[in-house]
Amino acid sequence: MNAIISASELADALAGPTPPVLLDVRWQLSAAKAAGAPPFDGRAEHAAGHLPGAVYVDLDRELAAAPGAGGRHPLPDVAEFGAAMRRAGVSSVRPVVVYDGGQGWAAARAWWLLRWTGHPNVRVLDGGLPSWAGPLSTDAPTPAEGDFEPVPGESGLLDADGAAALARSGVLFDARAGERYRGDVEPIDPVGGHIPGAVSAPTTENVAADGRFLAADELRARFETLGATEDGEVGVYCGSGVSGAHEVLALAVAGIPAALYAGSWSQWSSDPSRPVAVGPEPQ
């Protein structure tokens, strides 16, 4: 099953006999608050207009635990995540489509969590809300309680030690911007640089100017050039496990399975005992 769905395909699915549950996960990185700018309010954006029937899901509260030793966006408690998904109407037998404001990172985080915890049919709206040409709604949806019971997978998730090992034994992609990978700048976390052995693969290079993913064969060629294959072990990390999920999604579109280091650089860099590499090479 393809991991993404186009707006036209979604319109057809919504008119079909088993319409998908729609989750609106609009979110933006809150770095702007440090400059005094008001934080992005995804719930207000949802109230102002959303795909008809879509339920708002709060990334910071429902797709992540509180910041701490696990990083800036640690994985949520599995039971609490399951309860949030059931409140949103998610059931195991009904497909789910997730969208955000177009960047794709937040939607991918929801996609990854649902897939990792066992939902069999989850897709991301390619291009997000801007790709949707149909009407929007301001109604507050009241979905029937779902029955989804999350069961974490035995694979697909890396911890810090696993990420360090994979950087040497397989391929570990760093999905952040190149300047953060190199250590030229670090606007958020304690120190700049990357996990030794990790390969720079900014997730922004997986999409076209309109925010839609590149074609599967283009993505596959990109990742293969960087050393990944469908038969090898591949992992991804980013700043806090959000944009990294988008890269895992891009790899899925390309047909290459990958694991996510959810703690990512925010967890790695908070431990001064862990090594840090700088510069353009994996080292």
Side-chain angles (χ1 to χ4, degrees), residues 57-188:
V57 174
D58 189 316
L59 185 148
D60 289 318
R61 293 180 174 84
E62 295 172 311
L63 304 182
R72 282 185 281 111
H73 289 104
L75 295 186
D77 175 83
V78 171
E80 292 179 6
F81 170 68
M85 293 298 98
R86 290 190 293 275
R87 286 195 302 271
V90 175
S91 295
S92 298
V93 297
R94 190 173 168 192
V96 176
V97 172
V98 190
Y99 72 90
D100 57 24
Q103 189 178 41
W105 294 3
R109 171 77 173 214
W111 167 85
W112 183 86
L113 273 167
L114 282 165
R115 293 291 293 156
W116 179 63
T117 55
H119 198 287
N121 191 340
V122 189
R123 287 184 283 180
V124 169
L125 176 58
D126 194 18
L129 187 62
S131 71
W132 180 254
L136 298 180
S137 172
T138 56
D139 294 340
T142 55
E145 182 87 2
D147 64 8
F148 177 63
E149 293 288 346
V151 178
E154 295 182 0
S155 61
L157 176 66
L158 296 169
D159 60 12
D161 291 340
L166 184 57
R168 300 303 184 188
S169 65
V171 177
L172 180 67
F173 286 136
D174 184 320
R176 298 172 301 157
E179 58 268 25
R180 293 183 69 191
Y181 170 88
R182 295 188 301 270
D184 299 344
V185 298
E186 182 42 63
I188 305 172

